[in-house]
Structures are given as C-alpha cells and as structure tokens.
Amino acid sequence: MTGTPPPYVPGHGLLAGRDAVVTAAAGAGIGGATARRLLEEGARVVVSDAHARRLKESEAELAAEFGADRVAALPCDVTDETQVAALFDLAVERHGRLDIVVNNAGLGGTADLVDMADEQWDKVLDVTLNGTFRCTRAALRRMKEAGAGGVVVNNASVIGWRAQKGQAHYAAAKAGVMALTRCAALEAAEYGVRVNAVSPSLAMHPHLVKVTTPELLEELTSREAFGRYAEPWEVANVIVFLASGYSSYLTGEVLSVSSQHP
C-alpha cells in the first residue's frame, strides 16, 4: 500500500565489534537514525554535531538504550579542521580503531542565483562539500595508517543529479560530494578502504520542515512513486548495507535512495 511506511527492520548483528563515527548525528534526521541503526547492528559509535546541546541529549538517549560503553560524543563543526581532527582522534583513542565513518553533515537553503550572496554560497559549500572532504581526509589518513581497511559512507542527494530552482549552491555541493566519493574510492582501494555514498530524494525530518515550504514538500512528495517521503531510518538502512560486508565489492558508488520519478 502506497503512502504507508513499512515496518521497522530490526538489527541482525551486521556490524558487531565495529567502531564508527557519524557526523551531524543529533536529533531526528538521517544522522541520528544512522547512529541508532549502527548501534542496533552491534557497532560502537562516536556521534558528533555542531549543536552541543542536542548532541548531549542524543548521547544520553543512546547511552541509556545501548550502554555508555558503546556511545561517545564530541561536538564538531566540520568547517574547523582542528575540531575534525579532535573528533577522529577521540574515536581512535576511545576504541583503538576506526572501521566506519558516515559523513552526514550538510547545510541547505533556498535562494535564486540572482539573489544569492557570496556568503550564502560559501557557507553551503564549506559545510556540505568541504566538510565532507575534511572528514573523509581525516578518516582515510587514520585508516591508511592502521592498515586494517575500513568504510566511508557520504551523504549526497538526488539534487546532485537533478535540477531544482533555488538550490544551485546545495546541488553544486552535493554533486561535488559524489565526485569526491568516486575519486577518494580509487585512492583508498590501494589500502583496502571502500568509499561510497547514498543519494536520498526526500527523507522527512524536523529540520527539513523548518527550511522548506509546505507547498514544496507537497510537490516533492507527489513525485515519489510510493506517494510518501522516506523515513530517515530507511536511508540509514542503506548506509548500514554500505558499511557492512554485504557490500564488499562496492566502492566509488552513489546509491540513489529514492522512489522519485522524473
């Protein structure tokens, strides 16, 4: 039946004993859903976010459910290289290894090019593309040094493929994330690390509601074959697949998580 989300998929221990970092993991969006799904699959997780208060609340909730020994948190602004380095150092110090990195941090907005200021363009690119670059670089440096392989999953968007009015900065950033993913994958394959990305169309969460008009949300939802938006955990399930051994031969791929038709 269209319009109705499917039942939640329980964990199957796909990531037991693995250690992960998830950026922009506070709250009810894709990052928060991904942190939860990784924990449900048996991983230990370091969560980060630029919003310290929301991050502390998320850490407390996850630690209460999955155990304090499996959850750690550190605020991180991905536009700050010092903070990025501190996040990945914490992950290695906490668990002694780094197996999975999910780069979820991103920033959107709506503005036509003729009205867009340099500052608007720069901010979206710095968080969404440059932030993914900084975190990918930090992850690969540590994974290469450890010599034990690893997985990086980046969060792109179908807007990186498809045009949408008012989204030039975000579309350019997400297209850049896709290109970064492919290039990083070729380099990282030499030391056994896989780099892939997900490309969601429309996953509903509170932040999206705040920055998108009801009319646009209705229009975007109408394009989806299932007649509904994705639940954040449905995107997180695909991230779990890419982080697991079930995708062992995939690298440099961008998987569309979408039921959207042209």
Side-chain angles (χ1 to χ4, degrees), residues 116-205:
M116 189 181 296
D118 283 5
E119 291 76 15
Q120 288 176 285
W121 175 273
D122 291 343
K123 188 172 183 179
V124 169
L125 268 289
D126 199 19
V127 174
T128 307
L129 177 56
N130 297 346
T132 301
F133 154 69
R134 293 183 189 97
C135 291
T136 300
R137 178 178 62 187
L140 295 185
R141 283 175 173 172
R142 288 157 179 77
M143 289 174 175
K144 182 178 182 180
E145 182 179 359
V151 179
V152 176
V153 184
N154 297 323
N155 191 1
S157 168
V158 294
I159 291 180
W161 285 314
R162 303 168 183 169
Q164 184 173 310
K165 183 179 182 295
Q167 295 294 309
H169 47 359
Y170 189 68
K174 290 300 190 179
V177 169
M178 294 177 183
L180 170 65
T181 297
R182 291 188 286 265
C183 292
L186 289 179
E187 297 178 14
E190 298 176 6
Y191 40 94
V193 175
R194 298 188 294 111
V195 186
N196 292 292
V198 293
S199 179
S201 55
L202 182 63
M204 189 58 64
H205 54 85

Side-chain angles (χ1 to χ4, degrees), residues 108-112 164-167 202 204-223 229:
T110 301
D112 288 349
Q164 184 173 310
K165 183 179 182 295
Q167 295 294 309
L202 182 63
M204 189 58 64
H205 54 85
H207 180 67
L208 182 62
V209 173
K210 292 179 182 178
V211 300
T212 310
T213 65
E215 294 77 16
L216 180 56
L217 287 176
E218 183 177 354
E219 177 190 344
L220 294 175
T221 302
S222 70
R223 298 179 189 175
Y229 48 78

Side-chain angles (χ1 to χ4, degrees), residues 51-81:
H51 302 278
R53 179 186 59 79
R54 290 194 305 173
L55 179 64
K56 186 176 181 180
E57 292 171 354
S58 295
E59 178 190 17
E61 179 182 338
L62 293 172
E65 186 171 349
F66 297 100
D69 60 324
R70 293 182 56 203
V71 182
L74 185 70
C76 179
D77 177 350
V78 297
T79 68
D80 185 322
E81 172 59 22

